[in-house]
Amino acid sequence: MQNKGFVKVFAILLTLVCVFYLSFSFVTRYHMNKAAEDPKGEAHYLDSMMNKKVWLGSYTLKQCREMEIGLGLDLKGGMNVILEVSVPDVVKALADNKPDEAFNKAVAEAAKQQVTSQEDFITLFVREYKRLVPDGKLAELFATQQLKEKVNTRSTDAEVERALREEVQAAIDNSYNVLRTRIDRFGVVQPNIQPLEGTMGRIMVELPGIKEPERVRNLLQGSANLEFWETYEAKDIVPVLVSADERARVAMNLTSDTVKVEETVAAAEETEAVSSKDSLAAVLKGETVDNNAVNLEQLKKEHPLLAVFQPNQSGIGAIVGYADYKDTASINTVLNMKEVKEIMPRDLKLMWGVKASDIDKTGHIFELYAIRVTERNGRAPLEGDVITDARDSYDQFNKPCVTMSMNTDGSRRWAALTKKNIGKEIAIVLDGYVYSAPRVNTEITGGNSEITGNFTPEVTKDLANVLKSGKMPAPARIVQEDIVGPSLGQQSINQGLISFVVALIALMAYLCLMYGFIPGMVANTALVLNFFFTMGIMSSFQAALTLSGIAGIVLSLAMAVDANVLIHERTKEELKAGKNMKEAISAGYSGAFSAIFDSNLTSIITGVILFYFGTGPIRGFATTLIIGIICSFFTAVYITRLIYEYFLSKGKLRNLTFSTSLSKNLFQNAHYNFMGITKRSFTIWGTIIVICIISFAVRGLSQSIDFTGGRNFVVQFDKVVQPETIRDLLENKVEDANIQAIALGTDGHRIRVSTNYRIEEDGAHVDTEIEGILYEAFKEGNLLPDGLTLAQFIDRDNTEGCSIISSQKVGPSMADDMRTSAVWAVIFAVIAIGLYILIRFSNIAFSLGATVALAIDAFLVVGAYSLCYGWMPFSLEVDQTFIGAVLTVIGYSINDKVVIFDRVREFTHLYPNRNRTQLFNDALNTTLARTLNTGQSTLIVLLIIFFLGGDSIRSFSFAMILGVVIGTFSSLFVAAPVAYLALGGKKDEKEAKAVKA
């Protein structure tokens, strides 16, 4: 083998990289176990260890948790949301919401066309406007104050279109930054937020472990609210807060004595001295915290506010004090007490900083700012809609700063505000949290400002993004939502692990039974390394492991068996030809290489298409499948060969036969006349296709809400419930909306309810109301236990009694896009593979044979779902997962075709004068063992996933089972015969008979 040294070095380096990244998962698991054993609670341990270096002297526990292999929502439980920023609304705002009839009509028509078009909204809008107003100029619409630096009345349409794209993307980026900040404040561990590629304006958010979906909906869908506020000096407010502490103590009836304010101040100072080792002052001074020094609970009784709040003793600036993030809620409670508010200045608002104080290295201490309300309506004197641009930059001393520009109205008001507050701080507030409070040095005129301070480049970048978030209010709305309860997630983990372990053992046993113990164990070593490398690479990408991802890993292992089967079958042929073991191994690997390479590359092509068109679970599946295929190619083609060559160089393994008593004569020396039954096979295929067409016309398909829009609720009952009962109870509650109910599993305790009721309406309250309708309907039908409240029913954490354990929402626009993307994904996959076969084999006949066979494979799998839904004991809905299965079938099925065509090409070169009919038959017969062995091994894996993998991937595995069976037969009876006929096979056969006569 050439480049043996490179392969060894690469394998060692890859192993080290994988060990490094996988180690974070083990370190995290170790500390999570210790946290679970902490007598003070898991949260206490994690808080104390989060910022401590726990691995290799460089990585904190927080960093380790971020770098471990995370669990997807279907395994861990949580919330998956796709939000859509309304691009039409952004475009209207950029045009100052002009009443121009043609403009508004073009916007409406472009929005309508976008549902079914693969082009983005800007392209559609420009085209539609030019159609309505052929002589119109876009500059007449968009030469506004907001775009004054990019568009003027002389700008060309191309320049305006480019400016629109930049501004729309900026609005989407701003929404992304606002969402990211809001989610960070929500305290979610390992959140995932990312713009969806190939779409304009859509952002995916994954929030593991969420228990308050209603709060999350409100948090994510609210508009960004950027404000500029005047502030108080701390020296004016700190004495008031000290008095507030006493007021709170009296109001809470924790003491009967009335203490004067002067005595309270002294007591506060004494408290600070006594508790200097565990108070906030200690943290701010960098001292070690000793939790046993003072009884904090006793201090809270004596001083409800000052026991957990450290006032700013310097009295300078708008920061009035500091507190641990865990205590901010209790501080807010004290400050909102009626008795406390009575002594507060009427124009005072207290707001927390958005991030931990720079003087606190632990990241626990937050700052409280004193805001002064100066407007009669209680609003900020200046809001974010006046900002035209904000950028991170460097000042004259080459220090990081932020530059900000405002429109004419904003410039005038900003000049007045800064003139009034020279020497004071102005707070920059977004969503009620202070991001910065720069001090005003002089009156700022002209609308251009520079914000300086002790900033890092990262801080200035974030601040610029915050300022820009007020520039274009673009509220996001939820167009797709999935919520999975932790109990369902744990069940999925168990089912996924069981199916994986059983499938792996079955594959290993199969290889040993078919090819002997030693060849089987060499191949099994490759399987284990394949799994190890796949997990290591996934960990390096910080990819989340989902149930569909586990299915992808298992399937990639099954496809890795295909490469080993090809090598072993080819090596057996070389041994039969009389070569010694060393020569047979070399020839076996060389002869199988092209078929392995082609089949793996075509599978990767479908994986890439899956990743591009899919979302959520489909992308997780595609990611693991692509990584697994690449790893399987490396381990099967190179690692196993290194093993064989090492032992052969030591004089061992020279008597291998690559067969057992079971497989010795299995499909060997076959002489089937495949080409002779072309007419009969085509008749059978045609009949099946006609049956499927009739089924499409009569029954259609059971489309899921992925393609129709709607909501799914999976409800767990404590008794056996019939789907018909659920349907009858809900039909009277949802007017004319569609209601479907199907049983999940066989115990009758779990029902999935689907409805399109009020799916056109936006707003978080709609989801809450529909959950209430379910509760009332089931309560009226006596399906819920006595005493079960609505809160318990909608609690995804509730594992006892009855509750909603998962839910899903898909908006109409998202459903239309999914349906369109699904069709294009299948078409692109077939065309892309057909083109690759054409390029690789340089013959249109092979490309035609592969394309026709793949199209039939996909069509028949879909047709089987049309024929079988409604009477099979599990769901056969057509959804995103099903489309992923169809694309995987295409990627898998092409493997057989490539192997057969590769053998035809080889025989054509070896036997140029051989009759084409015999040549095709010989190619099919010599590869028959490989075709059926691979099909059997993959079928074993899929059957295991089908029975043990759980309800969520049962439909996927069923589609794959159909695909493997159909794909195997189509390779023999469609792909090869079509290529044979396209090459003039019948004509060649007739000429041979004429010569023979």
Side-chain angles (χ1 to χ4, degrees), residues 694-979:
I694 294 172
S695 180
F696 286 138
V698 176
R699 289 170 52 82
L701 290 166
S702 174
Q703 296 187 57
S704 78
I705 65 169
D706 284 356
F707 298 146
T708 62
R711 292 177 175 84
N712 278 343
F713 297 93
V714 178
V715 184
Q716 178 77 39
F717 293 94
D718 60 356
K719 64 179 75 171
V720 176
V721 177
Q722 297 301 321
E724 293 78 10
T725 305
I726 299 293
R727 197 178 303 117
D728 293 340
L729 287 171
L730 290 172
E731 280 179 345
N732 297 326
K733 299 281 187 180
V734 296
E735 301 167 356
D736 296 328
N738 181 43
I739 285 286
Q740 293 182 353
I742 62 172
L744 300 180
T746 58
D747 61 1
H749 287 256
R750 188 173 293 173
I751 303 291
R752 191 184 69 197
V753 179
S754 302
T755 180
N756 59 359
Y757 179 59
R758 298 176 68 182
I759 194 61
E760 300 281 354
E761 299 181 37
D762 294 327
H765 67 281
V766 178
D767 300 282
T768 305
E769 290 173 15
I770 293 175
E771 290 173 344
I773 290 173
L774 293 179
Y775 172 75
E776 293 298 332
F778 297 159
K779 190 175 182 181
E780 290 174 11
N782 296 318
L783 299 181
L784 304 181
D786 295 336
L788 185 75
T789 65
L790 174 61
Q792 292 172 321
F793 177 70
I794 65 174
D795 182 8
R796 273 71 175 176
D797 288 343
N798 179 22
T799 58
E800 298 179 1
C802 302
S803 69
I804 297 173
I805 57 176
S806 75
S807 60
Q808 180 187 18
K809 169 189 171 183
V810 179
S813 63
M814 192 71 186
D816 289 333
D817 285 356
M818 283 184 183
R819 187 167 55 245
T820 304
S821 296
V823 174
W824 280 111
V826 175
I827 292 173
F828 282 151
V830 173
I831 292 175
I833 292 175
L835 287 174
Y836 177 77
I837 297 298
L838 176 62
I839 294 169
R840 188 75 171 127
F841 287 86
S842 303
N843 194 314
I844 190 67
F846 294 125
S847 180
L848 181 63
T851 304
V852 171
L854 292 178
I856 289 175
D857 291 344
F859 181 82
L860 292 185
V861 171
V862 179
Y865 267 56
S866 176
L867 287 165
C868 297
Y869 84 84
W871 57 269
M872 293 290 278
F874 52 90
S875 172
L876 288 179
E877 284 187 335
V878 175
D879 55 12
Q880 271 204 104
T881 304
F882 172 76
I883 297 301
V886 172
L887 289 172
T888 309
V889 165
I890 292 172
Y892 174 83
S893 180
I894 192 61
N895 293 359
D896 286 341
K897 283 76 171 168
V898 166
V899 171
I900 292 169
F901 291 158
D902 187 67
R903 188 60 62 93
V904 171
R905 179 175 56 181
E906 180 184 344
F907 280 4
T908 302
H909 293 151
L910 291 175
Y911 315 110
N913 298 321
R914 181 175 291 183
N915 176 274
R916 189 170 283 120
T917 302
Q918 182 185 350
L919 190 144
F920 265 81
N921 280 330
D922 288 346
L924 288 167
N925 282 304
T926 53
T927 57
L928 187 61
R930 176 265 160 206
T931 300
L932 297 179
N933 280 340
T934 302
Q936 289 173 359
S937 62
T938 307
L939 204 57
I940 290 171
V941 171
L942 291 172
L943 287 170
I944 290 170
I945 296 176
F946 179 79
F947 287 109
L948 301 179
D951 294 327
S952 57
I953 58 172
R954 184 158 290 131
S955 177
F956 173 88
S957 53
F958 181 70
M960 283 298 302
I961 289 169
L962 292 174
V964 169
V965 174
I966 295 170
T968 300
F969 283 102
S970 72
S971 299
L972 299 171
F973 301 108
V974 176
V978 169

Side-chain angles (χ1 to χ4, degrees), residues 248-249 252 254-255 296-304 307:
R249 180 166 69 96
M252 296 169 70
L254 297 178
T255 179
L296 186 59
E297 290 303 317
Q298 182 61 35
L299 281 176
K300 284 183 179 181
K301 292 179 181 180
E302 297 174 2
H303 300 284

Side-chain angles (χ1 to χ4, degrees), residues 303-319:
H303 300 284
L305 180 62
L306 297 179
V308 291
F309 180 78
Q310 173 65 40
N312 177 5
Q313 300 296 337
S314 71
I316 300 173
I319 299 173

Side-chain angles (χ1 to χ4, degrees), residues 113-169:
Q113 292 177 13
Q114 191 183 18
V115 172
T116 56
S117 175
Q118 291 299 300
E119 296 178 295
D120 62 46
F121 176 82
I122 301 296
T123 301
L124 295 172
F125 162 73
V126 172
R127 183 189 303 154
E128 189 62 23
Y129 183 75
K130 298 304 290 184
R131 185 186 69 82
L132 294 171
V133 190
D135 299 327
K137 291 189 63 179
L138 291 173
E140 296 173 358
L141 298 171
F142 295 100
T144 61
Q145 182 70 30
Q146 294 186 66
L147 296 174
K148 65 178 182 178
E149 294 184 1
K150 296 181 179 180
V151 177
N152 55 54
T153 53
R154 296 185 300 275
S155 298
T156 65
D157 286 349
E159 290 172 339
V160 175
E161 183 176 348
R162 183 166 59 251
L164 288 178
R165 291 186 185 281
E166 291 175 358
E167 292 300 308
V168 168
Q169 189 58 50

